[in-house]
Amino acid sequence: MAEVVINKPRDPNTLSNYNNFRTTHTSTNFDILFNEQKLSGTVTHTLESITKAEAHEIILDTSHVQIKQVKVNDQSAKWELAPRMEPYGSALKVKLDKPVALHDSITLAIDVDTTAACTALQWLTPAQTSNKKHPYMFSQCQAIHARSIFPCQDTPDVKATFDFTVNSPLPVIASGIAASSNPDTSSADGNAQTYKFEQKVPIPAYLFAIASGDLSFASVGPRSTVATGPDELQECKWELEADTEKYLKAGESLVYPYAWGEYNVLVLPPSFPYGGMENPIYTFATPTIISGDRQNVDVIAHELSHSWSGNLVSNASWEHFWLNEGWTTYLERRIQAIVHGGNEWRDFSAIIGWKALSDSIAQYGDDHEFTKLVIDLKGKDPDDAFSSIPYEKGFVFLYYLEKLLGQESFDEFIPHYFTVWKGKSLDSYDFKATLLDFFSADKHADEAKKLDQVDWDTWFYSPGFPKWDPKYDTKLVDPALRLAKHWYRFTNPDDPASWGPTWVDVDGWSANQMVVFLEQVLAFDKPLPAAHANYMGAIYNVKDTRNVEVSSRYLQVAMAAGDWNVHVFVTELLGRVGRMKFVRPLYRGLVKMGAINEAVACFEKNKDFYHPICRQMIVKEIFGKTGHPRP
């Protein structure tokens, strides 16, 4: 085996000494204790020494966990928790009796309980679930929250195989393949059953995932299952069964065969803070994709694309998050073009994405560090940098390279890139080197000359918008843009028009066309009059539509217009949806329209409904900027 020497960790957001030891396998054995709202059990890491330098301790990441015992090679070990260092937690330092030789391995077993301060777990009481019968719990470990479940090397620069043993009175799923002996349901008397899973493909700690609750299962494809509450199962099955296998085959045609065996979806309770989380085997998905019209299931195309980008090939640190999300957004839109029948569908999605990029840049400011493609996260919380920027600016960069090189040539590079880095982690400089090597002059002279034009420093380090105009195909958005112009003239006394709105304006439109229209209205240089906004909501039936992508944007239009009556609809939506994509702008809208007291009251009422990550972001980002006492 070749000698491995790592002088300096690439990830500034971990306290672990993964430059000395690297986790190769992790076994977790947890009891899910719903009454105490905690996990209790043992995590056992196998760690390999990867440097000749003598190391007399192993350092792992922890955050708000209770450690009861530590053993090294089955022998009790001395350990200590260092003082907490925000936002990264407390380093667990385990003393070694003797150094470990290069490439030798040791086992480190830790008895641990989670605590009420755990940021990775959400516990729902029966009253918070749809049928009010059973409690529910689920994990969300990205970006640096796995350390709040168990001590680990909580960095995407380290990948390990996993096995899971979970004891619960309710059905369990995890980010591994279930053992054939797993029970399908809990026992009649409520006693815990044992569920086992294994993940043979190495994954970083942030992809550790478990969930347990009143779950039912249905097939949505030859290698895919949906899991959700029993009352929601049939509508989730209908929503997902038409396209899931199509997405899988399209992704395979772009890269190479799917590596994880099964692709399943867990549709979570509405407090889940993201659109989806790409946990292997089981994508964790927001229920807002279940809109009754199959208009929002492209979220699955995105999460499925993570099976290659992010899960197999991972960013080495969150400073290079665009390598996960930019690539995934690129693959997602290529899949859309294949499934829906043309690149205009990709450009349609990209236009919506450009608006999301614009909103994020406006929120941070044009010169903010977090609007760069490669960002500095030293001493910072990666969650603070979470926005659409790595997704959309990363996509635009890859789209630029595709246009520069030609789609046929770029398509040759895609499987090469994912083969070279399969099972590994990389940074932006590795990506650059891989691209330039593939298109080197002796192999692809024409492409090599084209790549000489790339201003890498500007793409990587320039804040704000990309310095390149994508020139997207607007065929599918043109009707929405025309209607927005009509509304601008209709509501602007300096630009009169004889046109008047009717329901026919949007008859036959897709939800995404309505999204584009509403976002154009949000971008007007002055808001609509309140009466006009109210009329728009009624005539186009967008105020309380089940499709939250549409209703949330309309509510932003109405709040910007100063339609005070709409705050009732806003607070109602904030009480039943916990996805941050919708929650954060809706709270911002309430604050901006002067409804700060209503916003605070809404938060106080629903704060236990929100996931801890979402709750923190609302307090930090919104109420922290108003000068109002934080809830």
Side-chain angles (χ1 to χ4, degrees), residues 284-578:
F284 284 18
T286 171
T288 62
I289 70 170
I290 309 301
S291 52
D293 55 11
R294 290 178 174 157
Q295 297 273 322
N296 292 328
V297 293
D298 281 346
V299 166
I300 300 304
H302 181 90
E303 303 310 329
L304 171 65
S305 296
H306 271 301
S307 302
W308 294 275
S309 171
N311 294 6
L312 276 182
V313 177
S314 309
N315 49 224
S317 80
W318 304 110
E319 296 183 317
H320 302 271
F321 191 38
W322 78 271
L323 288 168
N324 277 21
E325 296 299 352
W327 261 113
T328 299
T329 304
Y330 177 86
L331 292 177
E332 168 202 353
R333 289 174 180 158
R334 292 293 303 274
I335 288 172
Q336 288 179 7
I338 293 170
V339 171
H340 298 310
N343 277 334
E344 66 267 20
W345 288 93
R346 173 174 68 158
D347 285 13
F348 186 22
S349 177
I351 290 168
I352 296 174
W354 187 271
K355 177 60 168 58
L357 174 65
S358 302
D359 291 344
S360 293
I361 291 173
Q363 184 65 24
Y364 283 121
D366 289 349
D367 296 324
H368 197 281
E369 177 69 24
F370 294 164
T371 66
K372 299 176 182 178
L373 209 54
V374 178
I375 61 178
D376 180 2
L377 283 175
K378 296 176 182 65
K380 300 169 185 174
D381 187 341
D383 283 344
D384 290 343
F386 182 83
S387 74
S388 64
I389 292 168
Y391 297 70
E392 299 301 340
K393 198 168 182 178
F395 165 80
V396 172
F397 182 38
L398 295 170
Y399 186 78
Y400 160 77
L401 291 173
E402 179 209 298
K403 292 297 185 183
L404 179 69
L405 296 166
Q407 188 175 103
E408 184 176 346
S409 293
F410 195 70
D411 281 358
E412 293 178 19
F413 172 69
I414 293 173
H416 171 80
Y417 167 76
F418 286 102
T419 299
V420 169
W421 291 101
K422 182 178 181 179
K424 303 174 186 176
S425 303
L426 77 161
D427 59 27
S428 301
Y429 321 113
D430 295 322
F431 166 78
K432 174 184 175 182
T434 306
L435 183 74
L436 294 179
D437 176 70
F438 183 77
F439 291 112
S440 59
D442 59 335
K443 301 175 186 176
H444 300 85
D446 291 342
E447 288 87 349
K449 290 179 181 178
K450 293 176 181 176
L451 286 174
D452 288 340
Q453 305 172 29
V454 179
D455 185 344
W456 293 94
D457 285 350
T458 296
W459 277 106
F460 283 169
Y461 307 121
S462 178
F465 286 97
K467 307 299 189 274
W468 177 71
D469 182 359
K471 293 184 171 61
Y472 296 125
D473 182 341
T474 64
K475 180 172 68 175
L476 293 176
V477 303
D478 283 342
L481 300 180
R482 284 194 297 270
L483 182 60
K485 288 180 180 178
H486 283 310
W487 270 91
Y488 184 84
R489 291 170 182 163
F490 177 65
T491 59
N492 188 338
D494 297 326
D495 191 5
S498 58
W499 173 88
T502 72
W503 67 270
V504 177
D505 300 335
V506 297
D507 186 35
W509 277 24
S510 70
N512 276 342
Q513 286 174 306
M514 183 60 74
V515 165
V516 170
F517 162 68
L518 292 169
E519 288 186 337
Q520 285 296 117
V521 175
L522 276 170
F524 286 173
D525 53 12
K526 57 184 177 181
L528 299 180
H532 287 69
N534 187 280
Y535 185 50
M536 176 188 289
I539 198 170
Y540 294 159
N541 193 29
V542 291
K543 186 179 295 185
D544 54 1
T545 172
R546 186 180 176 188
N547 193 314
V548 184
E549 294 282 356
V550 173
S551 64
S552 67
R553 286 172 171 88
Y554 167 72
L555 293 173
Q556 292 177 62
V557 168
M559 285 190 288
D563 181 4
W564 183 261
N565 294 325
V566 81
H567 84 269
V568 176
F569 292 89
V570 175
T571 54
E572 187 275 332
L573 184 60
L574 287 169
R576 60 181 173 87
V577 171

